[in-house]
Amino acid sequence: DAGITQSPRHKVTETGTPVTLRCHQTENHRYMYWYRQDPGHGLRLIHYSYGVKDTDKGEVSDGYSVSRSKTEDFLLTLESATSSQTSVYFCAISESGRTYEQYFGPGTRLTVT
Amino acid sequence: AQTVTQSQPEMSVQEAETVTLSCTYDTSESDYYLFWYKQPPSRQMILVIRQEAYKQQNATENRFSVNFQKAAKSFSLKISDSQLGDAAMYFCAYLQMNRDDKIIFGKGTRLHILP
């Protein structure tokens, strides 16, 4: 299994509070991704990173920001959480130019009340 | 923009039988990858099978095989000898090469295995 961890695994927070989710990898892969999974929507890309300090937006980036100061860590921040951001969040990694497979972390269930 | 469509939200199959999950996609590109991911109740996303668009031969992994029809933009997954452990959500996914490896997922098909 690819070495990807996410923390926390579960979190309940109140509307308006900031939240940061962490993704940590031990594979030294270049690409990292944040997805959210909601019923009826599959997985949708929030933000991704193609290198240290190199990030870009996905299809549902509004209300989210990311940072990557080290190869192994990719942080997702909800500056002011809203109930619509209640979801399961997945981090994924890949090493471009090989199999293009993405390896996924175990997910974080976030509930915004 | 590329899209991935899974027209079957749920399916059921008898244990030991064969089932086929459908997936169609829309793209104007010629170089891409297609995937099927499995998500069991544990929530972990697991790669089932991968197909490179330039390969005409259909990919096979043990009991899992695909029917890749490039002209029709169709990528179905066949599961043979279905087992209880195959019960999961299955996602079809498309990756455009050389575009930061971004994957587009379908909305998923929930597969039930009937004992």
Side-chain angles (χ1 to χ4, degrees), chain A residues 44-63:
Chain A
R44 293 180 292 175
L45 183 65
I46 305 172
H47 281 281
Y48 66 99
S49 170
Y50 45 95
V52 174
K53 298 185 179 179
D54 291 323
T55 65
D56 206 346
K57 297 179 179 180
E59 72 175 291
V60 290
S61 59
D62 287 348

Side-chain angles (χ1 to χ4, degrees), chain B residues 61-88:
Chain B
E61 289 287 342
N62 300 313
R63 298 182 295 108
F64 298 87
S65 61
V66 298
N67 184 5
F68 173 47
Q69 302 288 330
K70 190 172 184 179
K73 299 179 184 176
S74 171
F75 183 60
S76 60
L77 174 70
K78 186 173 81 171
I79 306 174
S80 303
D81 185 26
S82 298
Q83 299 175 1
L84 294 177
D86 295 333

Side-chain angles (χ1 to χ4, degrees), chain A residues 9 31 33 35 37 40-43 45 48 88 90 94 96 98-102 104-107 109, chain B residues 33 35 37 39 42-45 47 50 89 91 95 97-108:
Chain A
R9 294 293 311 280
Y31 288 88
Y33 309 83
Y35 295 91
Q37 182 178 19
H41 289 279
L43 278 81
L45 183 65
Y48 66 99
V88 178
F90 285 94
S94 74
S96 180
R98 296 175 63 187
T99 63
Y100 294 94
E101 175 182 350
Q102 289 191 8
F104 285 81
R109 180 176 294 279
Chain B
Y33 276 71
F35 305 89
Y37 278 89
Q39 187 181 43
S42 67
R43 212 166 62 194
Q44 181 68 48
M45 292 288 286
L47 179 68
R50 172 197 308 114
M89 194 74 150
F91 292 98
L95 181 145
M97 293 171 63
N98 304 317
R99 297 260 182 100
D100 294 329
D101 293 2
K102 290 186 287 185
I103 287 183
I104 300 169
F105 287 88
K107 294 184 178 181

